[in-house]
Amino acid sequence: MKKLLLIASLLLSVAGLHAQSKTTGVVNLMSGMTAKLDLDNANSTATLTLTGPSDRWFALQFGSFASGGGMGDGQDLVYYNGTTLVDAVHNGIGVTPSADGTNNWTVTSNTVSGTTRTIVATRPFNTGSAGDYTFVYSNADIDFAYAKGASASFTLANHGGSNRGYALNRTFTCIPPSNPTASAQGFCAGATIANLTATGAGGATFNWYANSTGGSALAGTTVLNNATYYVSQTVGGCESARVPVAVTITTVAQPTANATQQFCSEATVANLTATGAGTINWYNVAAGGSPLAGNTVLVAGNYYVSQTVGTCESTRFTVAVSYTTLATPTTADNTQDFCSGATVADIQATAMAGAQLHWYAVAAGGTELSLTDGLASTTYYVSQTLGSCVSERLAITVTVTPVAGPTTNNETQAFCDGATVSELSVNSTPGAMLKYYVANDATALPGTTVMADGTTYAVTQTIGSCESPAQNIMVIVNPIPAMPGGGDTQQFTAGETIADLEITILIGATITWYVDDNGNMAEVPVTTALADGMTYYVTQTLNGCESAAKAILVDEALSTEGFELKSLMAFPNPVSDVLTISNNTALDNIAIYNLLGQKVLSQKAGANTTEINVSGLPAGSYTVKAITTSGASASLKVMKQ
């Protein structure tokens, strides 16, 4: 039995190697007598609290022995002799113990309450005296033997069987250490129980709980929340009471960043973008690791960004990094033709979806051109950008065809009422197409547009698809005068000319005479001899504007002989080759005059009917004058085909 107890004691001693203090607690020995033994490992000191009757001796033996084995020769004991606690050694059963050479017990208290005396005394675990029992802190228990005087006397005497006994295998239990010290604590999100701190006894183990009592200690990996936690300290297997600790958790939001970030050429961590209220940190792992240096070269893949505010770091946001090679813009025509006045915006090139075009005058470098810059005959270069990516430049050869504007000899031109813009007088390039505008108006006018007085018109010329700058012309529109006045039918005598016809005109007007030449109005001089039955036309012109023509039919006033020609005829009419002239009396001479009164053909007749070959005459209107043998004359109008 004792051997087993000793083995158990050794096993328990392993667990208690670092204990600070432990106790047997109060052991009831017999009525009116108790013992309690405390062991202080830190100081290697044993403290004995022994109670007994106040009027007699009482004794306690401790050590390791079996029932009935106590009080053996050489066993250590203490007894109260009425004055103090005596450190003694047994001389065997029935023999008075001998006082130890040195009393190693120091009495710290000796009090009496009623009939009970309480003595508190201390001594080292190992006093070095051969007769003293050596206390071993690792022992799990201890044996007690006790006795007291049978009667009131401090003289050691036989105590009798009812005044002695054994209290064996009195187990030591730890004495709970004092509470640890811990204050309210703040942490960043993600902190765990392992981050909590407390102070206590040297070598103490701290245990953290979610409750003030009960429950199991929390694992060090348990994530902290905004809550109250409780901490105890364990020394030598003895756990203290729990102390509350308020924990505050600060959570920092993730920074804001584009989940995908593209680069065109080798980029570094410094090129990544994210925004936040604190310090931005970039990693190549989702958790753990160290922040990457700004000059770390990026590779395609995931990177992770957090922000630190104060001492707290947020969780990490994932950013996918990729590299993009941007193609050059495209065009359907690498050589493009333009008119003068074209701008960079007119060059045709196509960017990929979402990209922007940028134009340059050089293949590399240089300053970006404005879309409003005028074009020249040269090579232009265009790139496209998408995000931060810039493509290579595409070359487009441009040819600009300059078209000069038309000119005019007079920037103020006068016209007659009803004149159209097509009558504006300009000097233009042969083959050019003219366009007409009201000045400062971009809407082209039809050439038939009637001009308005006091209006400035603009004329451009277009060669191919290129339109020139405009030539401005101020227009004065004069009214068309009324036709001349006068009789519609007037008589004349032989030998009179157009100048003899009577007409009225406006002051300052000039007149012009015409005859109808086969549907065309032919101007004739005023010296033209009048022909019987002929219609003459006259206009008047004022301020360059010619009136409508007035028609005047002339009738020759015949002499008495003239009645001989009342049956005069000419046929066929119109005529192509041979014209036949007939009358009821003999004809002497036939003459043919053109519209200008010039004789173009004459022939002797000598009969009532005469044939004249007119095939050699040009087509047109002619007057045939016939003269009789008596000298009478008359005229007919014929048409030569």
Side-chain angles (χ1 to χ4, degrees):
M1 172 69 178
K2 195 63 178 177
K3 184 176 182 180
L4 292 175
L5 290 173
L6 289 173
I7 293 173
S9 173
L10 289 173
L11 292 174
L12 290 172
S13 69
V14 175
L17 286 175
H18 300 290
Q20 297 299 305
S21 59
K22 59 184 180 178
T23 183
T24 60
V26 176
V27 178
N28 292 313
L29 303 176
M30 64 173 55
S31 178
M33 188 174 179
T34 66
K36 179 168 78 76
L37 183 64
D38 296 335
L39 301 181
D40 182 353
N41 191 42
N43 298 307
S44 298
T45 301
T47 299
L48 175 64
T49 303
L50 182 63
T51 68
S54 60
D55 61 350
R56 66 195 69 192
W57 66 267
F58 50 92
L60 179 67
Q61 175 189 342
F62 31 76
S64 179
F65 43 81
S67 180
M71 305 179 188
D73 187 19
Q75 295 291 324
D76 189 18
L77 79 153
V78 293
Y79 65 90
Y80 181 70
N81 65 358
T83 302
T84 187
L85 194 64
V86 179
D87 186 2
V89 178
H90 276 297
N91 292 315
I93 297 175
V95 180
T96 300
S98 301
D100 199 346
T102 302
N103 188 349
N104 292 299
W105 288 97
T106 300
V107 176
T108 60
S109 176
N110 184 350
T111 61
V112 175
S113 175
T115 61
T116 301
R117 183 180 299 279
T118 300
I119 300 172
V120 179
T122 63
R123 52 152 273 199
F125 285 174
N126 187 350
T127 65
S129 298
D132 285 342
Y133 175 76
T134 298
F135 295 102
V136 178
Y137 189 81
S138 61
N139 287 345
D141 56 25
I142 194 167
D143 296 334
F144 291 138
Y146 52 87
K148 68 178 179 177
S151 59
S153 171
F154 292 105
T155 301
L156 294 180
N158 194 331
H159 41 66
S162 61
N163 293 316
R164 66 183 184 195
Y166 296 92
L168 304 178
N169 303 320
R170 309 315 298 177
T171 303
F172 286 105
T173 59
C174 61
I175 299 175
S178 59
N179 293 344
T181 300
S183 58
Q185 298 174 40
F187 297 95
C188 305
T192 65
I193 289 293
N195 298 116
L196 293 169
T197 60
T199 59
T205 299
F206 298 99
N207 303 305
W208 294 89
Y209 299 85
N211 304 301
S212 58
T213 60
S216 301
L218 299 172
T221 56
T222 302
V223 176
L224 296 174
N225 297 310
N226 286 305
T228 298
Y229 292 85
Y230 302 85
V231 61
S232 69
Q233 66 173 329
T234 298
V235 180
C238 292
E239 187 174 12
S240 71
R242 301 175 188 178
V243 174
V245 177
V247 171
T248 302
I249 300 298
T250 299
T251 301
V252 176
Q254 290 181 335
T256 301
N258 289 331
T260 58
Q261 297 190 28
Q262 293 182 329
F263 298 94
C264 312
S265 58
E266 184 175 271
T268 65
V269 166
N271 298 119
L272 292 169
T273 58
T275 58
T279 302
I280 301 299
N281 313 299
W282 289 95
Y283 301 85
N284 56 8
V285 289
S290 299
L292 299 172
N295 61 359
T296 303
V297 175
L298 297 175
V299 296
N302 287 341
Y303 287 81
Y304 307 88
V305 61
S306 70
Q307 66 171 327
T308 298
V309 178
T311 59
C312 293
E313 187 174 9
S314 70
T315 56
R316 300 175 188 178
F317 178 78
T318 304
V319 174
V321 170
S322 61
Y323 283 94
T324 300
T325 300
L326 202 59
T328 59
T330 59
T331 183
D333 188 1
N334 288 92
T335 57
Q336 299 182 26
D337 297 326
F338 297 95
C339 306
S340 56
T343 65
V344 170
D346 296 313
I347 306 177
Q348 299 299 305
T350 303
M352 64 186 297
Q356 299 294 322
L357 295 177
H358 302 274
W359 294 93
Y360 301 87
V362 290
T367 302
E368 183 178 355
L369 299 174
S370 169
L371 293 179
T372 59
D373 288 343
L375 293 180
S377 293
T378 187
T379 299
Y380 291 87
Y381 302 87
V382 59
S383 66
Q384 61 180 333
T385 61
L386 185 62
S388 61
C389 297
V390 181
S391 73
E392 296 295 324
R393 298 179 186 178
L394 172 70
I396 298 178
T397 300
V398 166
T399 300
V400 176
T401 301
V403 176
T407 62
T408 183
N409 298 328
N410 191 352
E411 293 184 352
T412 300
Q413 298 182 20
F415 295 92
C416 300
D417 192 18
T420 64
V421 291
S422 62
E423 298 176 58
L424 289 167
S425 176
V426 294
N427 305 310
S428 61
T429 302
M433 181 182 72
L434 297 180
K435 290 186 179 180
Y436 305 94
Y437 303 85
V438 172
N440 301 319
D441 190 334
T443 304
L445 301 172
T448 57
T449 301
V450 175
M451 292 184 286
D453 184 45
T455 302
T456 298
Y457 293 90
V459 185
T460 66
Q461 62 178 345
T462 300
I463 299 175
S465 61
C466 297
E467 187 174 5
S468 72
Q471 169 66 59
N472 289 343
I473 300 174
M474 168 69 177
V475 167
I476 298 172
V477 177
N478 294 311
I480 297 176
M483 70 176 64
D488 294 337
T489 301
Q490 298 186 31
Q491 285 189 332
F492 71 96
T493 60
E496 289 185 314
T497 66
I498 287 176
D500 295 312
L501 295 175
E502 296 180 356
I503 57 173
T504 59
I505 61 173
L506 298 171
I507 297 174
T510 59
I511 61 173
T512 306
W513 290 93
Y514 301 90
V515 293
D516 186 349
D517 182 11
N518 199 23
N520 296 316
M521 299 298 287
E523 184 179 353
V524 292
V526 295
T527 58
T528 301
L530 296 175
D532 184 41
M534 190 74 171
T535 299
Y536 296 92
Y537 301 87
V538 63
T539 66
Q540 63 177 333
T541 299
L542 187 64
N543 294 324
C545 297
E546 188 176 16
S547 71
K550 177 178 178 59
I552 300 175
L553 175 64
V554 297
D555 180 24
E556 184 177 2
L558 298 176
S559 62
T560 304
E561 293 84 4
F563 288 101
E564 298 177 2
L565 295 170
K566 286 297 184 182
S567 60
L568 181 67
M569 296 179 59
F571 58 90
N573 190 7
V575 62
S576 297
D577 299 315
V578 176
L579 178 66
T580 300
I581 306 298
S582 68
N583 193 36
N584 58 357
T585 60
L587 298 174
D588 180 55
N589 186 53
I590 304 297
I592 298 177
Y593 298 85
N594 62 17
L595 292 177
L596 298 178
Q598 299 167 330
K599 185 188 290 186
V600 295
L601 190 64
S602 66
Q603 182 175 315
K604 280 289 186 181
N608 291 6
T609 300
T610 301
E611 291 183 347
I612 301 175
N613 187 348
V614 296
S615 62
L617 296 178
S621 296
Y622 294 89
T623 300
V624 177
K625 187 173 184 179
I627 302 173
T628 66
T629 56
S630 64
S633 66
S635 299
L636 294 173
K637 186 175 182 179
V638 296
M639 293 294 296
K640 168 63 171 65
Q641 294 180 333

